[in-house]
Amino acid sequence: TLGVDRAACLFSGYKSGFHPLLVMDAGTAWTYTALDSNGKIMGGGISPGIGARFRCLSDYCGKLPNLDYRDYERVLTAIAEGKSGPLPAFATDTKTAIMSSIFQEVSAHGRNIIQQFLEELKRRQAPETTQDGEDKEAKDRSKPAVILTGGDAGLLLQFLTKPGKFIADQHGTKLSPDDIELIETKHLSAYGIGNLIQSKTSQLSAPTPDEKLRELVTGQRVAKKFEVPDLDGDLIYRGSVIQVLPGKNGVDDDLFSIRYDDGDGEELSLVEVYEALKMYTEVGEKVSADALIWTENRRAERKKGSEASANQLLAEVPKLKEKLEINAEKALAKAQAESTAVAAISEVKNNIPPPAPSPKRPRESTTSTPKSRGRSKKVKPAPEKEASGKQYLDMKVAKYFTLENDEGQMEDVLFLGKVQTYDRKSKFWHIVYEDGDEEDFDEEDLKKGIALYIEKCGKAPGTSKEATPVPADGAAKVETPRKDKTVGVVS
């Protein structure tokens, strides 16, 4: 298979209009690759580069010196400036012998490959001729190009064009400007990769409005409030949108992957990511954030970017505004229900008669009597009275559970239950649901259950009339809490 670097060099030369083309890459490895006049790859070869040839002698022949680029650069510079003559084929010292042999190999090998390239082109083209022997396609064919690239491209160019100046007694094929166009450029592979990216990008269709929105939101900063504080005691966690998972029906159904700065992550809906973007525009970065990274200008830019993304979502996604209005109505109804529940619970507590006072016991003496000369007895302090918890017995509660329906989809289903008993030691109320299932509530869960019962059933929790389980779709749906930072887990 052809390496990416060699393919990129060929592509760059081809896009520049050079074909037929021979690319000679004089880098760590010395490669050559050719294209014919039709732009088809002819093949090529690979051998050690100039530096690798010097190193392999010292690596495998322990007594030979390791000549690096600076050693032979000084020698070649002196020859180019006329301060010394060309390297002899029959050297009288070790360093000169190594340099002369390697440079002869490179020069002769390069000119030989070019000659074979020209002969192979003639064989492949096989042009038709007229009766007087004139080539019909001679005027249409461009001159073959030989592009030299890589770190040693300039050195290779000198060996190919002026072999006798650097190495004495050089014999072999001489290159004629009439036969080839010789070009030197060190970074041909980089140009090729750029040309390839530009070519592929131009083939892409214009992004859709949804794709533009996803690209706009990706990378923006967000903030979200959780019940568990971070190490700094802050309830608001900052993070970034790292990916958008497209939904079936456009941006409305997209999921936005969030990676928080503490390493946790979650996926937010469109409404949730909008609210997270808006919260970030309000709170910005933490005050304790690294000042070297989060400069004042960067803080302002990130807030501005999150605000612009939120406004763009609201302007271009009609359903977002509708969902926000529905959520606002739900939040208002929930607040009203909780207020009603608090009032109902307070009324129940007020109607419970206070416990009868316990009979007053006579005070025990703390002094010793004449008959008993032991230590005096001390009266133990009476334990503090605790709330009985019985005021909630027989009250009705409600709770959502996420269950799989007949179609295999998950949905929230409302179940009703009743407070049966109270354990004073654990301070838990035992709940029995209408379907026979049971679980224990603490006081916070109990208040939420009573509030939800009042919201969904529209009556006080102490009435005797029961209701059947209600699917979430038939009433206001309660979102299940996230599992990563929220307190409590949905049963």
Side-chain angles (χ1 to χ4, degrees):
T1 57
L2 191 65
V4 175
D5 55 341
R6 297 171 65 190
C9 288
L10 288 179
F11 186 77
S12 180
Y14 180 80
K15 291 294 289 184
S16 299
F18 296 112
H19 54 88
L21 169 67
L22 174 65
V23 176
M24 305 182 77
D25 190 347
T28 304
W30 184 13
T31 66
Y32 60 91
T33 320
L35 287 177
D36 64 15
S37 57
N38 296 319
K40 294 183 179 180
I41 298 175
M42 298 169 57
I46 304 173
S47 64
I50 295 176
R53 296 178 192 231
F54 281 103
R55 284 193 300 273
C56 72
L57 285 175
S58 63
D59 290 345
Y60 290 96
C61 305
K63 293 186 178 181
L64 292 179
N66 180 19
L67 303 180
D68 61 16
Y69 180 78
R70 289 170 296 181
D71 294 321
Y72 58 79
E73 182 185 37
R74 284 194 297 268
V75 174
L76 295 176
T77 301
I79 296 174
E81 294 175 352
K83 296 179 181 179
S84 62
L87 295 171
F90 298 94
T92 56
D93 64 274
T94 302
K95 290 185 178 182
T96 304
I98 293 174
M99 287 188 285
S100 178
S101 297
I102 289 178
F103 293 152
Q104 285 186 72
E105 292 173 3
V106 172
S107 177
H109 184 55
R111 286 183 284 119
N112 181 53
I113 292 302
I114 294 173
Q115 184 61 34
Q116 292 189 53
F117 168 63
L118 296 175
E119 293 177 357
E120 181 66 17
L121 287 178
K122 291 180 181 179
R123 187 186 67 80
R124 291 194 177 206
Q125 290 171 352
E128 297 181 5
T129 57
T130 59
Q131 293 182 354
D132 56 2
E134 183 182 357
D135 187 349
K136 286 184 177 181
E137 299 180 3
K139 296 181 181 180
D140 299 331
R141 292 200 311 270
S142 60
K143 185 189 300 184
V146 177
I147 299 180
L148 308 179
T149 187
D152 290 327
L155 189 59
L156 181 58
L157 178 64
Q158 296 295 325
F159 290 155
L160 293 177
T161 56
K162 304 174 182 178
K165 181 173 182 178
F166 294 93
I167 308 166
D169 305 323
Q170 276 282 301
H171 299 283
T173 306
K174 292 185 179 180
L175 301 178
S176 172
D178 298 332
D179 296 331
I180 62 171
E181 184 175 355
L182 199 58
I183 304 166
E184 178 206 355
T185 175
K186 282 191 175 182
H187 308 294
L188 186 62
S189 60
Y191 300 148
I193 293 174
N195 289 333
L196 184 60
I197 293 174
Q198 184 179 10
S199 176
K200 291 296 181 182
T201 304
S202 62
Q203 297 175 8
L204 298 176
S205 57
T208 64
D210 285 354
E211 290 172 343
K212 290 182 179 179
L213 283 177
R214 292 170 184 140
E215 184 177 355
L216 176 66
V217 174
T218 302
Q220 298 296 341
R221 296 287 286 172
V222 295
K224 186 177 177 182
K225 189 174 183 179
F226 291 91
E227 296 182 12
V228 179
D230 62 9
L231 296 177
D232 297 330
D234 193 353
L235 294 175
I236 297 178
Y237 287 72
R238 280 81 168 172
S240 301
V241 182
I242 61 172
Q243 185 184 10
V244 181
L245 306 175
K248 293 182 179 179
N249 300 318
V251 179
D252 296 339
D253 294 335
D254 284 358
L255 288 177
F256 300 81
S257 296
I258 309 299
R259 177 60 54 85
Y260 293 100
D261 295 343
D262 66 346
D264 285 348
E266 65 175 334
E267 293 175 354
L268 301 182
S269 66
L270 175 64
V271 173
E272 291 171 329
V273 79
Y274 171 81
E275 293 173 344
L277 289 166
K278 294 295 289 184
M279 178 173 285
Y280 182 81
T281 62
E282 296 173 2
V283 301
E285 288 299 323
K286 298 176 67 169
V287 177
S288 60
D290 191 342
L292 294 177
I293 298 175
W294 289 103
T295 61
E296 291 298 326
N297 288 339
R298 190 181 183 201
R299 289 171 184 263
E301 288 175 1
R302 297 316 298 268
K303 288 179 67 173
K304 189 180 296 183
S306 296
E307 183 177 15
S309 298
N311 293 338
Q312 195 80 1
L313 286 174
L314 189 61
E316 297 191 19
V317 185
K319 291 186 178 180
L320 175 58
K321 188 174 182 180
E322 298 176 7
K323 291 179 179 180
L324 290 173
E325 292 175 352
I326 293 173
N327 285 356
E329 294 174 359
K330 287 182 179 179
L332 180 61
K334 183 178 179 180
Q336 292 174 348
E338 290 179 352
S339 177
T340 304
V342 170
I345 293 171
S346 178
E347 182 179 355
V348 170
K349 286 184 177 180
N350 293 333
N351 292 333
I352 297 175
S358 57
K360 188 175 183 180
R361 284 189 271 180
R363 184 177 181 182
E364 298 182 20
S365 175
T366 60
T367 60
S368 301
T369 63
K371 293 182 179 180
S372 176
R373 297 184 181 275
R375 295 183 178 181
S376 61
K377 295 182 179 180
K378 294 182 179 180
V379 180
K380 295 182 180 180
E384 295 181 2
K385 295 181 180 180
E386 298 180 359
S388 66
K390 294 182 179 180
Q391 66 268 31
Y392 295 115
L393 294 181
D394 295 330
M395 281 194 177
K396 305 295 176 58
V397 296
K399 185 177 178 179
Y400 276 113
F401 291 88
T402 304
L403 303 175
E404 185 176 353
N405 59 23
D406 296 336
E407 299 177 355
Q409 298 178 345
M410 305 304 292
E411 66 175 355
D412 293 336
V413 180
L414 185 68
F415 282 83
L416 306 180
K418 186 176 182 180
V419 182
Q420 293 287 355
T421 59
Y422 173 67
D423 188 339
R424 295 187 62 184
K425 292 183 178 180
S426 63
K427 297 182 180 180
F428 276 89
W429 286 265
H430 189 66
I431 311 298
V432 178
Y433 292 98
E434 293 178 341
D435 63 348
D437 284 349
E438 304 176 12
E439 71 171 325
D440 291 334
F441 276 9
D442 60 15
E443 187 170 6
E444 183 180 356
D445 293 333
L446 184 63
K447 290 180 179 180
K448 290 181 180 179
I450 293 173
L452 186 60
Y453 180 87
I454 294 173
E455 176 188 352
K456 298 303 176 187
C457 298
K459 55 187 176 182
T463 58
S464 60
K465 186 177 180 181
E466 301 288 352
T468 55
V470 181
D473 293 340
K477 188 175 292 186
V478 175
E479 295 183 1
T480 56
R482 305 287 181 188
K483 291 186 178 180
D484 49 359
K485 294 188 178 72
T486 51
V487 177
V489 178
V490 176
S491 301

